[in-house]
């Protein structure tokens, strides 16, 4: 799913594996845990029901088989118009010669020649601001989107130009060698999106000059070369007053190599979505899944990471694994299961500022959990699990040992052979004694049992 909040998706058009639909419902569908989207398919034969489940009407369809429930991360909401146009028409490099192109507008094909040259002239022409010209206050009174990519504009010129745009919401300043030289005063106060990508002269001190823009929700800092970040106004476990409205931060293609940078991001009070691909911290690790788990565990309010929604069960698994992985280090630093004796030193708290809150959430790690320093690296550890499945007498429970690295798909294959049931018909979930009354669906066939934090003694529930 793209970076779209599930709270405002009702009525949105979506695509799933080439099929199109309209979102009619967003919420929970007991008894299965997690968030669901109810969609009405354009093709009514694609669905399974009319929006009802076990006697409860969640939404209505015009056709009795026009509806389905789908997990949000399997739905494609598309991209915004500006991104779509940029992806289709703006060239990455200079073409050797002009080629004829066909563009579909509505249902009609339109042939274009020389479009690339025109696009380049329109979006990369160098601007010149006369030094003696008056301030353009209020000149563009209704302008909401301004694109100044690759125009050679300076920060001072940006502020002058912005004074003429009192309702500006989106400002694109990519590749201008900008240096943020002064704090915006009475300008840019309505901006919600600011793109500063590929301005290699920007550092963290310059970012602090724009840190109090009151409505800034999206900040794009791809390829600016940043490697460090520290919010001096907030201590360990506290929130910064900077970037108060920032919800989505893009840090792709930078020089981030220290986890301390990620620790600082947890101080942003409104941050819900983060993209940080192609950094030394994320690319240097051989285990991409472990890196993703650490990012999720370190930023508690994160809902989307690298354009992938974080389901509740993934967050739980990431936080439990993080808690186990650094449990021995926590004990050596003064951590203790007894709250009266639990006094980890400042060095540990600085490196793992969320660790204490994870202990409060899940309980302090017990000695039995800390036999290995990093349990996520043990690919062949066996789990003893109960497997509950229906039979002619009602329910039967058997006990099996399965590797924690075994994927859900392979578990289904094993159960298919054991129970003589087609793999395509099997539905898996599990229950844990640590979470009585809660059932967690194993919805991703490519993930492992360990990804879902399944432990010894847990019960796999098999349905078909």
């Amino acid at each position: 799913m793209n970076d779209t909040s599930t709270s405002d998706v009702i009525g949105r058009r979506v695509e799933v594996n080439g099929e199109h639909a309209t979102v009619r419902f967003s919420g929970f569908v007991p008894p299965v845990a997690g968030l669901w989207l109810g969609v009405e398919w354009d093709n009514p034969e694609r669905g399974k029901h009319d929006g009802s489940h076990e006697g409860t009407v969640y939404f209505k369809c015009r056709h009795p088989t026009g509806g389905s429930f789908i997990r949000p991360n399997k739905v494609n909401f598309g991209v915004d118009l500006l991104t779509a146009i940029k992806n289709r028409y703006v060239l990455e490099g200079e073409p050797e010669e002009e080629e004829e192109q066909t563009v579909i507008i509505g249902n009609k094909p339109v042939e274009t020649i020389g479009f690339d040259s025109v696009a380049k002239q329109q979006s990369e022409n160098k601007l010149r601001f006369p030094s003696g010209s008056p301030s353009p206050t209020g000149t563009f009174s209704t302008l909401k989107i301004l694109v100044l990519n690759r125009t050679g504009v300076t920060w001072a010129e940006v502020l002058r130009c912005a004074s003429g745009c009192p309702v500006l919401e989106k400002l694109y300043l990519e590749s201008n060698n900008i240096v943020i030289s002064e704090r915006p005063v009475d300008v840019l106060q309505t901006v919600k999106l600011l793109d500063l990508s590929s301005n290699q002269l920007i550092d963290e001190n310059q970012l602090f000059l724009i840190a109090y823009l009151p409505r800034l929700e999206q900040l794009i800092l791809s390829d600016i070369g940043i490697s460090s970040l520290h919010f001096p106004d907030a201590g360990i476990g506290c929130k910064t007053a900077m970037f108060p409205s920032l919800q989505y931060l893009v840090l792709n293609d930078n020089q981030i190599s220290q986890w301390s940078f990620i620790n600082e991001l947890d101080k942003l009070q409104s941050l819900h979505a983060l993209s940080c691909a192609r950094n030394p911290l994320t690319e240097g690790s051989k285990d991409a899944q472990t890196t993703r788990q650490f990012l999720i565990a370190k930023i508690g309010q994160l809902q989307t990471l690298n354009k992938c929604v974080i389901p509740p069960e993934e967050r739980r698994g990431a936080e439990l694994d993080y808690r186990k992985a650094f449990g021995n280090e926590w004990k050596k630093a003064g951590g203790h299961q007894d709250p009266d004796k639990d006094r980890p030193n400042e060095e540990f708290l600085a490196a793992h500022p969320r660790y204490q809150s994870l202990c409060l959430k899940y309980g302090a790690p017990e000695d039995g959990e800390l036999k290995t320093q990093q349990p996520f690296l043990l690919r062949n550890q066996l789990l003893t699990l109960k497997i509950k499945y229906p039979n002619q007498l009602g329910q039967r429970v058997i006990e099996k040992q399965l590797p924690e690295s075994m994927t859900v798909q392979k578990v289904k294959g094993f159960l298919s052979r054991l129970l003589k049931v087609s793999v395509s018909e099997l539905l898996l979930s599990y229950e844990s004694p640590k979470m009585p009354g809660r059932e967690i669906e194993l919805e991703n066939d490519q993930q492992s049992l360990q990804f879902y934090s399944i432990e010894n003694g847990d019960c796999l529930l098999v349905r078909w």
Side-chain angles (χ1 to χ4, degrees):
M1 179 176 173
N2 295 338
D3 303 317
T4 305
S5 170
T6 54
S7 63
D8 60 356
V9 300
I10 306 301
R12 290 286 300 274
R13 296 285 293 162
V14 297
E15 179 268 334
V16 183
N17 297 328
E19 295 277 356
H20 293 85
T22 303
V23 179
R24 301 298 188 195
F25 167 81
S26 173
F28 298 95
V29 183
V32 181
L35 187 68
W36 293 91
L37 295 181
V39 302
E40 182 178 7
W41 299 100
D42 290 2
N43 175 12
E45 297 179 358
R46 175 67 174 79
K48 297 181 179 180
H49 50 71
D50 63 353
S52 302
H53 179 66
E54 295 187 354
T56 300
V57 178
Y58 293 90
F59 62 98
K60 294 183 178 180
C61 293
R62 289 169 292 182
H63 193 278
T65 62
S68 292
F69 290 106
I70 298 179
R71 292 296 190 182
N73 60 350
K74 296 182 179 180
V75 173
N76 179 15
F77 281 82
V79 298
D80 60 271
L81 178 61
L82 180 62
T83 301
I85 292 175
K86 181 177 179 180
N87 290 342
R88 185 176 181 107
Y89 299 122
V90 177
L91 295 181
E92 294 293 329
E94 187 72 22
E96 295 182 1
E97 61 184 57
E98 297 291 346
E99 296 183 357
E100 181 179 294
Q101 300 182 29
T102 300
V103 182
I104 303 298
I105 300 179
N107 294 321
K108 297 182 179 180
V110 178
E111 292 184 349
T112 64
I113 299 177
F115 185 90
D116 296 321
S117 296
V118 174
K120 192 171 183 66
Q121 292 174 7
Q122 289 178 339
S123 63
E124 298 184 10
N125 53 315
K126 303 304 179 184
L127 298 183
R128 295 182 180 179
F129 286 78
S131 57
S133 61
S135 175
T137 302
T139 304
F140 305 103
S141 59
T142 61
L143 183 65
K144 293 187 177 182
I145 301 175
L146 179 60
V147 181
L148 295 174
N149 297 334
R150 301 178 182 87
T151 58
V153 67
T154 68
W155 184 248
E157 290 168 340
V158 168
L159 298 185
R160 281 184 58 200
C161 186
S163 67
C165 309
V167 295
L168 187 65
E169 294 184 356
K170 297 182 179 181
L171 177 59
Y172 297 85
L173 300 172
E174 179 183 341
S175 301
N176 283 301
N177 289 322
I178 280 177
V179 174
I180 302 177
S181 54
E182 58 182 299
R183 182 174 175 176
V185 178
D186 298 328
V187 295
L188 303 182
Q189 302 302 298
T190 58
V191 166
K192 296 180 179 180
L193 183 153
L194 178 60
D195 185 353
L196 293 168
S197 300
S198 301
N199 287 286
Q200 295 280 339
L201 301 178
I202 294 178
D203 58 26
E204 63 175 309
N205 292 322
Q206 294 179 44
L207 293 178
F208 294 157
L209 293 175
I210 60 171
Y212 295 98
L213 293 176
R215 299 185 184 179
L216 184 61
E217 297 176 357
Q218 301 182 53
L219 180 60
I220 305 174
L221 300 175
S222 296
D223 188 33
I224 68 169
I226 193 169
S227 60
S228 62
L229 182 67
H230 175 65
F231 297 110
D233 66 325
I236 296 174
C238 299
K239 298 296 184 183
T240 178
M242 298 183 182
F243 299 102
S245 301
L246 186 62
Q247 299 177 22
Y248 181 28
L249 177 62
V250 180
L251 292 167
N252 298 331
D253 302 293
N254 280 295
Q255 300 301 316
I256 303 168
S257 61
Q258 302 295 325
W259 285 108
S260 57
F261 191 111
I262 305 302
N263 292 340
E264 290 298 305
L265 298 184
D266 187 55
K267 296 179 179 180
L268 293 168
Q269 56 186 290
S270 301
L271 185 67
H272 297 311
L274 172 68
S275 292
C276 59
R278 298 178 298 279
N279 279 276
L281 183 68
T282 57
E283 298 299 306
S285 171
K286 294 182 180 180
D287 192 338
Q289 184 57 50
T290 297
T291 301
R292 179 175 171 87
Q293 285 183 308
F294 279 14
L295 288 166
I296 292 171
K298 282 180 171 289
I299 307 177
Q301 70 274 22
L302 208 61
Q303 299 174 5
T304 303
L305 176 58
N306 293 332
K307 297 187 177 181
C308 293
V309 171
I310 304 169
E313 57 268 26
E314 183 180 11
R315 170 160 294 284
R316 174 183 174 273
E319 292 178 341
L320 282 172
D321 277 350
Y322 187 90
R323 170 179 155 274
K324 293 177 185 178
F326 296 98
N328 285 322
E329 187 177 329
W330 168 73
K331 288 188 69 176
K332 291 178 181 178
H336 200 283
Q337 281 90 355
D338 185 345
D340 294 332
K341 300 179 181 179
D342 183 26
R343 296 183 182 86
N345 58 38
E346 291 186 6
E347 182 180 0
F348 178 85
L349 294 177
H352 308 279
R354 289 202 71 230
Y355 197 88
Q356 293 298 85
S357 65
L358 295 181
C359 288
L360 290 174
K361 185 175 182 179
Y362 300 106
E366 300 176 0
D367 291 340
E369 299 178 89
L370 305 179
K371 291 180 180 179
T372 56
Q373 181 67 22
Q374 294 183 322
F376 46 80
L377 296 179
L378 299 178
R379 297 302 183 194
N380 296 312
Q381 181 176 334
L382 293 176
L383 299 173
T384 301
L385 303 175
K386 297 175 183 178
I387 300 177
K388 182 185 295 186
Y389 61 93
N391 65 2
Q392 294 178 347
L393 301 178
Q395 294 280 345
R396 185 180 178 187
V397 179
I398 60 176
E399 195 171 273
K400 292 289 182 180
Q401 283 192 326
L402 301 176
E404 68 172 6
S405 60
M406 196 173 189
T407 64
V408 174
Q409 185 176 32
K410 290 183 177 179
V411 173
K412 287 183 176 179
F414 164 74
L415 292 172
S416 174
R417 295 188 295 272
L418 178 69
L419 304 175
K420 311 300 182 185
V421 178
S422 172
V423 170
S424 61
E425 296 181 17
L426 291 175
L427 299 174
L428 301 185
S429 57
Y430 84 95
E431 294 176 333
S432 172
K434 294 183 177 180
M435 300 182 297
R438 183 179 177 190
E439 179 180 337
I440 298 176
E441 180 187 3
L442 306 183
E443 63 174 1
N444 191 332
D445 285 353
Q446 306 308 313
Q447 295 292 0
S448 66
L449 297 177
Q450 185 243 347
F451 169 83
Y452 287 100
S453 296
I454 296 178
E455 301 178 341
N456 283 319
D458 287 351
C459 183
L460 280 180
L461 305 175
V462 186
R463 299 185 179 94
W464 61 86

